[in-house]
Amino acid sequence: METSAVRLQVPGHDVDLEVVRYGAWGRPVLLFPSEGGSARDAQGNGMLDAVRPLIEAGRVSLFCVDSMDGWTWSANDQPTEERARRAQTYTAWLSQQVLPWIQEQVGGGQEIITVGVSLGAYHAVHLTFQRADVAPMAIGLSGNYDPTSWNGWGELGDATYFANPTAYVANMDGDHLDWIRSRVSVLLVVGEGPFEVSPTRSLPATREFAALLADKGIRHELDVWGHDSAHDWPWWQRQLAHHLQRFV
């Protein structure tokens, strides 16, 4: 079912990361894997099958990306500020390489939906706030949107602030906030079951971020699933299949 794949160089680094496309038509959806995952995880963990009817119907074209989490947010031997500085490299890769490639693939002009699971949910939401001009809708599944809570240590600075949606969204105001309100839509989905509270903090963090979006008047939905809904791929498959069809 793979349509195409490419390796795109990380700006300023002698490293390239993979993007895999599934489907030739439909709205482009950029999918981030869970922590430390790869572009092939969507197929290996059932996410591709979950949205296969939408792909085969020509409603969705799925673009799956590698992560750089091992060098960035998961590098727990580094202080939070250094991890945030490294994470800027990944965001630059997404913004300068991945988004233009997707637009080229689909002929331009189509707004991209970002989707992520677990740590990938953070990437999806953060990228939408950074690039609402081309990717104005984010779907976060079982996310935690405060990087300072991820084994954080050390003195925090500008890099952490600008990588932390819970911080920079809280301080949005004026024309920029008005523009974000006019562009951005966020869907936050989380369960109440195993591993959604400990150790991930996904459930409380998702509720806190939804409250922040409400306070700022930013379009969003919060969908909390039940106590059987775990922090795991089988549930993310169901959640994505349930929701994505509404937006394509």
Side-chain angles (χ1 to χ4, degrees):
M1 194 177 183
E2 178 182 321
T3 304
S4 58
V6 66
R7 299 197 70 88
L8 301 174
Q9 186 171 353
V10 176
H13 293 258
D14 188 22
V15 174
D16 54 46
L17 301 174
E18 189 174 37
V19 187
V20 182
R21 180 184 184 183
Y22 302 95
W25 310 100
R27 186 164 182 182
V29 175
L30 172 56
L31 179 64
F32 294 90
S34 60
E35 182 174 2
S38 78
R40 304 284 172 171
D41 286 359
Q43 184 169 20
N45 288 289
M47 291 297 267
L48 181 59
D49 287 336
V51 298
R52 186 180 296 272
L54 297 177
I55 295 173
E56 292 180 344
R59 294 169 61 184
V60 165
S61 191
L62 194 65
F63 294 84
C64 304
V65 292
D66 283 345
S67 76
M68 283 187 75
D69 297 330
W71 183 66
T72 60
W73 292 117
S74 301
N76 295 331
D77 60 325
Q78 299 296 316
T80 298
E81 183 72 1
E82 173 58 24
R83 283 181 262 167
R85 279 193 290 267
R86 294 181 180 186
Q88 292 171 346
T89 300
Y90 186 60
T91 302
W93 177 72
L94 294 167
S95 183
Q96 298 171 26
Q97 299 279 59
V98 176
L99 294 180
W101 187 74
I102 292 175
Q103 293 284 27
E104 176 186 303
Q105 288 283 298
V106 301
Q110 294 196 62
E111 294 182 339
I112 297 167
I113 299 174
T114 64
V115 179
V117 301
S118 193
L119 184 53
Y122 157 82
H123 290 304
V125 168
H126 179 53
L127 184 63
T128 281
F129 276 106
Q130 300 304 304
R131 291 302 310 272
D133 56 322
V134 295
M137 180 173 186
I139 301 174
L141 308 178
S142 298
N144 179 336
Y145 306 96
D146 180 6
T148 66
S149 69
W150 305 340
N151 300 300
W153 62 278
E155 185 175 348
L156 304 182
D158 286 348
T160 302
Y161 174 82
F162 288 109
N164 185 353
T166 64
Y168 63 70
V169 171
N171 289 318
M172 284 182 179
D173 60 13
D175 291 344
H176 182 58
L177 177 57
D178 289 341
W179 184 75
I180 289 293
R181 286 170 174 163
S182 74
R183 290 290 298 166
V184 167
S185 297
V186 179
L187 169 61
L188 303 174
V189 186
V190 69
E192 296 178 295
F195 310 111
E196 292 283 48
V197 174
S198 179
T200 65
R201 286 202 77 253
S202 294
L203 178 58
T206 296
R207 284 177 165 155
E208 289 161 10
F209 192 60
L212 174 58
L213 295 176
D215 182 63
K216 288 294 178 178
I218 297 170
R219 266 195 310 272
H220 71 285
E221 294 180 54
L222 172 62
D223 184 17
V224 179
W225 289 39
H227 291 280
D228 55 343
S229 182
H231 192 94
D232 202 1
W233 289 99
W235 287 98
W236 299 330
Q237 294 167 23
R238 299 179 197 181
Q239 291 162 358
L240 186 61
H242 174 73
H243 281 292
L244 188 58
Q245 62 185 329
R246 300 165 47 204
F247 306 111
V248 299

